[in-house]
Amino acid sequence: MSESVSVEKTQILQKYLDLDQRGVIIAEYVWIDGTGHLRSKGRSLKKKITSVEQLPEWNFDGSSTNQAPGNDSDIYLKPVAYYPDPFRRGDNIVVLAACYNNDGTPNKFNHRHEAAKLFNAHKDEEIWFGLEQEYTLFDMYDDVYGWPKGGYPAPQGPYYCGVGAGKVYARDVIEAHYRACLYAGIELSGINAEVMPSQWEFQVGPCTGIEMGDQLWMARYFLHRVAEEFGVKISFHPKPLKGDWNGAGCHTNVSTKKMRQPGGMKYIEQAIESLSKRHAEHIKLYGADNDQRLTGRHETASMTNFSSGVANRGASIRIPRSVAKEGYGYFEDRRPASNIDPYLVTGIMCETVCGAIENADMSKEFDRESS
């Protein structure tokens, strides 16, 4: 049985969106469920919100989201950030909430809790992130959006940063998402069409610490909501199509305060050395089905072997040419898959990279005191 196509009737909806809310604010609470997907529900508040502390805690049925058993199903939503709502607009907001059990402990799928601890422990390093989120568009019948029915488009080549019909698909969805993120205050730094047709990328950052995960999850939520209106599905699978087509990643750009200063290359090299020693640990947190993508082909490194290089898109870690020339800046971890939990990736990255820098500095201090 085929799935019906439903595209939102925005012109009809508009006359209702223009109605006076009579001082009531709508807050859409968004959270991450037990399968790594997003859920949301709205509630009415009596006044405009000016700080996250004003937002009430809420709850939901965790047995319906794979987060709790049916006999003890209440999961609590604790607001951690909020953003202007680009769909309802006005004073309405979208609230990012973290999930907690009824005994006050973080739900097992709440990876934000531990990541926040790591960032607080290494706050002096002022670690910045920039995440490059790749994704693929599908129609309501689970065919790649815009591709010939039962067939394939021309091979990869003209689609990356492409322009023109037959090279670019669903630019209207992408432009709508771009504006929605900017309206909401997301640090969306750019977009581009990717190598596989109907595959796109947006970049979020630079963001400091825990804010990186918050903003990427919210940008994903906005993408799903926008695409919903156009009758388009979003896939974050790292290899959405088998064969000679590029997979989808979430390249992670990293920089600490010391890396951003002249002479910072030595700290970048220290970080890469530490990353090489923890390759297997990082890979475990770098997304499901990543083995289908990290094959050494299609601009990826090996799943099992760590590598690094200047301007090398086939390496695990890429040092941009400009950084190598100037001697400071940032590096790019190309291993994370498109479906990562950004809290897990940025958390372990902070632990590995900042720990390497701090240990090196402590070793130097010890040598000075000994001499």
Side-chain angles (χ1 to χ4, degrees):
M1 183 177 179
S2 63
E3 185 176 1
S4 62
V5 177
S6 177
V7 178
E8 188 171 306
K9 310 296 190 298
T10 52
Q11 288 185 327
I12 298 174
L13 175 63
Q14 190 58 49
K15 68 179 182 181
Y16 298 103
L17 293 179
D18 290 340
L19 293 175
D20 187 353
Q21 295 180 197
R22 300 187 179 278
V24 173
I25 302 305
I26 304 174
E28 189 75 16
Y29 279 54
V30 177
W31 71 94
I32 304 148
D33 71 10
T35 61
H37 294 107
L38 291 161
R39 309 276 182 141
S40 78
K41 61 176 182 173
R43 69 179 298 172
S44 299
L45 301 176
K46 295 297 185 181
K47 63 179 181 178
K48 180 179 178 179
I49 297 299
T50 57
S51 71
V52 72
E53 289 76 21
Q54 294 175 330
L55 288 163
E57 290 186 13
W58 206 8
N59 61 74
F60 66 93
D61 170 20
S63 68
S64 297
T65 63
N66 197 40
Q67 291 172 276
N71 64 343
D72 187 15
S73 64
D74 282 359
I75 298 295
Y76 289 86
L77 293 169
K78 293 187 178 183
V80 295
Y82 71 96
Y83 307 85
D85 189 333
F87 307 104
R88 295 183 174 118
R89 294 182 288 182
D91 290 331
N92 301 304
I93 57 175
V94 180
V95 179
L96 181 64
C99 297
Y100 286 82
N101 303 316
N102 59 19
D103 62 358
T105 60
N107 187 256
K108 64 180 178 179
F109 301 104
N110 175 0
H111 302 303
R112 187 185 192 277
H113 183 82
E114 291 301 319
K117 288 183 181 179
L118 288 168
F119 290 124
N120 186 58
H122 299 286
K123 61 184 178 181
D124 291 344
E125 297 303 324
E126 297 179 20
I127 190 167
W128 289 1
F129 296 97
L131 296 184
E132 304 173 24
Q133 176 68 73
E134 294 178 343
Y135 58 96
T136 308
L137 306 174
F138 285 81
D139 64 22
M140 295 298 288
Y141 304 104
D142 293 323
D143 295 318
V144 182
Y145 188 86
W147 284 30
K149 297 299 180 185
Y152 298 92
Q156 295 181 160
Y159 309 109
Y160 172 71
C161 296
V163 177
K167 300 183 181 69
V168 174
Y169 301 88
R171 194 184 289 275
D172 49 0
V173 177
I174 277 65
E175 287 294 324
H177 174 245
Y178 203 160
R179 298 299 180 89
C181 286
L182 294 179
Y183 176 89
I186 300 298
E187 294 291 337
L188 202 64
S189 51
I191 60 167
N192 60 268
E194 266 303 330
V195 177
M196 189 179 88
S198 283
Q199 190 179 76
W200 288 81
E201 174 187 298
F202 64 84
Q203 303 95 34
V204 180
C207 296
T208 302
I210 200 67
E211 188 182 13
M212 182 71 261
D214 292 349
Q215 291 214 15
L216 187 73
W217 274 117
M218 193 51 58
R220 286 174 172 175
Y221 172 76
F222 291 146
L223 180 59
H224 281 298
R225 281 289 307 275
V226 166
E228 174 186 315
E229 295 189 19
F230 287 89
V232 175
K233 294 181 179 180
I234 303 298
S235 171
F236 292 115
H237 194 280
K239 190 68 175 179
L241 204 68
K242 308 297 182 186
D244 197 21
W245 303 99
N246 271 35
C250 193
H251 301 156
T252 302
N253 299 281
V254 184
S255 178
T256 65
K257 178 173 62 177
K258 292 183 176 72
M259 292 179 189
R260 295 188 291 272
Q261 298 172 348
M265 182 58 74
K266 66 180 179 181
Y267 294 104
I268 293 174
E269 291 170 349
Q270 285 174 4
I272 293 173
E273 175 65 21
S274 293
L275 287 167
S276 71
K277 296 175 181 177
R278 301 189 71 188
H279 176 67
E281 293 176 69
H282 278 249
I283 286 292
K284 288 178 181 178
L285 303 182
Y286 276 16
D289 298 318
N290 205 15
D291 58 314
Q292 298 177 28
R293 168 180 162 265
L294 292 182
T295 61
R297 300 181 61 214
H298 304 109
E299 299 182 283
T300 68
S302 164
M303 181 83 169
T304 55
N305 298 320
F306 182 89
S307 60
S308 63
V310 175
N312 184 356
R313 295 185 180 277
S316 305
I317 305 294
R318 180 182 72 92
I319 300 173
R321 180 73 64 189
S322 60
V323 173
K325 181 179 179 180
E326 294 172 1
Y328 61 94
Y330 70 100
F331 66 88
E332 176 192 46
D333 189 339
R334 297 179 60 81
R335 296 170 295 172
S338 48
N339 59 2
I340 59 166
D341 184 317
Y343 298 130
L344 289 175
V345 171
T346 58
I348 193 172
M349 182 63 73
C350 175
E351 181 182 61
T352 300
V353 169
C354 295
I357 292 173
E358 290 162 358
N359 289 338
D361 288 347
M362 288 177 62
S363 178
K364 290 178 183 177
E365 183 64 26
F366 177 79
D367 290 341
R368 281 196 296 267
E369 291 177 357
S370 298
S371 62

